[in-house]
Amino acid sequence: GFANEYRSTIPVPEAPVGALIGRINEGAPFFIGNRLEMTIHQDGLLSFGINDNALSDNCGELVVLVLTERPEILGGNLLPNGDFSQGLEYWTIHKNEFCSGCEMGLAVGDEKHPFILKGDQTGSGNRPSAMRTYQRPDIDLRGCTSLWLSFDVRLDYYTLPNSGTRYHGEHGEYPAKITIRFLDSESQRIEWTRGFLHAYDGTHLVNYTIVPAEEWFTYSVNLLAPQNWVDHTGKPLPPPVTLYEFNISGSGWDYGGAITNLHLSGCQE
């Protein structure tokens, strides 16, 4: 291109006239120049062009070399000890200061769920409290297009209406909830959450699933599918770069439940 010539009317005004540009599908054009490395988070047709608005006087040709790297599947479970067969190895339990009646720990399950994490809060007097178990796996997700999460969850009881949104808002208070924390390309925190209820309780949030009472329920989801990769209000989330924390929690007034067989798998460049 013409290194010192810029025009406001060309496709990419901040790039020199005659420079190599590209775009994906019908998206906005972007500057390529002599070399560009980038991660694409969508499917589509990659096309090239010249950064000029008057092509009739152009001549010659450009040879463009495109090198791609296919994502590799991350084998096995990305959550160590997701079935709690090693006790609480890799996991840390935390209770807030108001959780005087909270109990969270390992319990004996059944044949299909021999090791379970169980949480119970009783005698709250309608005073909210929370407890959680977490681990910090530090997983690089650059270029990842799928991230599958599955687990078995059981809800025993809860007394807080409206998932706490009447009182606290935010991501909702649920008797059982998964919160996964990520960082985006600008190191800003992203949170994906999913709570579980026996029935709709008047909450205005969308980050919940209805499950049977006192029965095991298997939940499975591709977190990065567009319909799932949204926040607690349904707003799309930015692409994740790092998964740095995985939380299992319960919060509300009186509540109880259990979870086990957590499995997380995905891909990266």
Side-chain angles (χ1 to χ4, degrees):
F2 300 93
N4 296 317
E5 184 176 349
Y6 296 82
R7 298 176 193 162
S8 61
T9 56
I10 58 179
V12 184
E14 65 272 18
V17 174
L20 179 66
I21 59 175
R23 72 174 180 179
I24 300 171
N25 294 328
E26 299 300 319
F30 52 86
F31 173 59
I32 298 177
N34 293 329
R35 178 185 176 90
L36 176 67
E37 292 187 14
M38 64 187 303
T39 300
I40 304 298
H41 296 282
Q42 66 180 99
D43 295 327
L45 176 65
L46 173 62
S47 56
F48 302 98
I50 299 300
N51 197 29
D52 196 353
N53 61 341
L55 301 178
S56 60
D57 60 350
N58 292 351
C59 63
E61 64 181 24
L62 288 176
V63 177
V64 180
L65 177 64
V66 179
L67 300 177
T68 62
E69 294 184 7
R70 292 177 59 84
E72 297 178 358
I73 298 300
L74 292 174
N77 192 352
L78 301 178
L79 291 175
N81 193 28
D83 62 359
F84 301 103
S85 60
Q86 302 173 55
L88 289 173
E89 186 74 17
Y90 301 103
W91 296 96
T92 300
I93 293 178
H94 178 267
K95 305 173 186 177
N96 73 10
E97 58 182 309
F98 305 114
C99 214
S100 58
C102 293
E103 296 292 337
M104 177 174 270
L106 297 180
V108 177
D110 53 31
E111 183 177 353
K112 293 183 178 180
H113 314 89
F115 309 101
I116 66 174
L117 179 72
K118 194 173 189 306
D120 288 279
Q121 157 70 357
T122 57
S124 68
N126 293 351
R127 186 179 186 182
S129 61
M131 51 187 168
R132 68 184 179 118
T133 301
Y134 67 92
Q135 60 171 269
R136 292 176 174 154
D138 190 22
I139 302 169
D140 185 352
L141 296 175
R142 285 174 292 184
C144 190
T145 57
S146 64
L147 191 62
W148 283 94
L149 171 66
S150 65
F151 53 87
D152 296 331
V153 62
R154 188 190 73 207
L155 295 190
D156 297 330
Y157 59 93
Y158 59 93
T159 59
L160 178 67
N162 298 292
S163 301
T165 54
R166 178 184 298 167
Y167 308 92
H168 307 291
E170 299 181 349
H171 295 169
E173 298 194 40
Y174 298 100
K177 183 169 73 170
I178 297 294
T179 300
I180 311 177
R181 297 191 170 113
F182 304 83
L183 297 177
D184 66 12
S185 60
E186 298 180 350
S187 297
Q188 298 298 307
R189 192 172 79 173
I190 308 168
E191 287 194 353
W192 182 92
T193 59
R194 175 60 50 170
F196 296 89
L197 300 168
H198 292 159
Y200 174 67
D201 69 349
T203 179
H204 64 268
L205 302 179
V206 299
N207 62 333
Y208 66 90
T209 296
I210 304 298
V211 301
E214 300 180 282
E215 295 181 16
W216 285 106
F217 177 85
T218 299
Y219 181 78
S220 180
V221 63
N222 177 8
L223 299 177
L224 300 186
Q227 68 271 23
N228 303 322
W229 188 239
V230 296
D231 68 10
H232 56 292
T233 65
K235 180 181 178 181
L237 293 168
V241 171
T242 303
L243 190 163
Y244 73 91
E245 188 173 272
F246 189 99
N247 288 268
I248 306 165
S249 64
S251 60
W253 293 345
D254 288 0
Y255 54 90
I259 194 168
T260 191
N261 295 335
L262 294 121
H263 192 276
L264 184 69
S265 62
C267 62
Q268 69 177 9
E269 288 186 332

